[in-house]
Amino acid sequence: MRPPVAACVLLVLAVAAAVAPPAAAVCVLRNPKKASGKPGSPAGPVPVPPKLTPPKPTPTPIAPGGDLVKTLCAKTDYPVVCQMSVVPKPGQKLDAAAVLRLAMDAVRVKAADAKKAAGALVADPKTAQLALGPLHDCMESYDDISYSLDQANKSMAAGDKDTTGTMLDTVRTDVDTCDQGFEEREELTPLMSKQDAELAKLASNCIAIAVAAGLR
């Protein structure tokens, strides 16, 4: 006896439902850009990296009982010139400011000598007339050096590092002013080149000592 057709169809459907794999659920994000680590929470703002500022020069550490002049002069471009010009008095107690003042005094003395040399050339009848103008300018520049040193000394005593540095830079500029007067006249020999070269080294040493000692 054959089974009914309806019964066969039901049997086939039952077997197919039993062996078919379950459907996989798929979750689609509506806005992937706003997704975060926590479900349902909005994405936070993008962090901005902090701005980096260049570090300030660190003053040179001075060992107790060490040779302060030698230590600071070693930080200059002309250490031999520095040690020869920075000569403390016997028994003089030194700190970094005292070493810088001695270096400044060396510039002051050299500027006074240069002014005398320029004045002698002005008074010499053999000096070319065209050179008299630049020589007078040099004499004024040497006076400006002395004034700038006075201002630097006052600023240092008041603890004003910015003004101290500015006035020491001005000293170095005053030296160049003398040379420029001769450079503008190519037919002239730079009569004060030797003195200015020495002054430039001494002024440069003052700036380097101030930086190394943290005084500017």
Side-chain angles (χ1 to χ4, degrees):
M1 179 178 180
R2 294 181 180 179
V5 174
C8 291
V9 172
L10 291 175
L11 179 63
V12 171
L13 292 175
V15 173
V19 300
V26 179
C27 180
V28 179
L29 293 176
R30 294 184 177 180
N31 192 348
K33 293 184 179 180
K34 295 185 179 180
S36 62
K38 295 181 180 180
S41 63
V46 179
V48 179
K51 295 182 179 180
L52 300 178
T53 56
K56 295 183 178 180
T58 303
T60 301
I62 308 299
D67 189 338
L68 187 59
V69 174
K70 184 177 181 180
T71 299
L72 291 176
C73 284
K75 298 296 182 178
T76 68
D77 291 334
Y78 311 99
V80 176
V81 174
C82 180
Q83 293 188 56
M84 291 178 62
S85 60
V86 179
V87 182
K89 298 178 181 178
Q92 181 180 0
K93 294 182 179 180
L94 292 179
D95 57 8
V99 173
L100 178 55
R101 287 190 175 94
L102 288 173
M104 291 163 58
D105 288 342
V107 178
R108 191 189 306 275
V109 171
K110 184 62 66 176
D113 291 342
K115 182 181 178 180
K116 290 180 180 178
L121 289 171
V122 169
D124 189 346
K126 296 180 181 179
T127 301
Q129 290 293 317
L130 194 59
L132 296 180
L135 285 171
H136 281 294
D137 292 340
C138 286
M139 295 175 68
E140 292 181 2
S141 295
Y142 299 144
D143 285 336
D144 291 340
I145 288 175
S146 180
Y147 172 81
S148 297
L149 289 172
D150 289 340
Q151 297 305 308
N153 194 26
K154 292 178 182 179
S155 300
M156 186 165 50
D160 187 348
K161 296 182 179 181
D162 291 337
T163 304
T164 299
T166 298
M167 299 316 297
L168 291 177
D169 292 338
T170 302
V171 170
R172 183 64 184 84
T173 302
D174 291 335
V175 176
D176 293 337
T177 300
C178 176
D179 285 336
Q180 290 171 359
F182 288 96
E183 291 174 356
E184 293 172 356
R185 298 171 175 83
E186 297 180 356
E187 65 275 17
L188 286 179
T189 301
L191 301 178
M192 304 303 298
S193 59
K194 180 180 179 181
Q195 290 86 347
D196 289 346
E198 294 173 351
L199 277 169
K201 293 179 181 180
L202 294 174
S204 172
N205 286 345
C206 288
I207 295 173
I209 290 174
V211 172
L215 296 173
R216 63 163 297 167

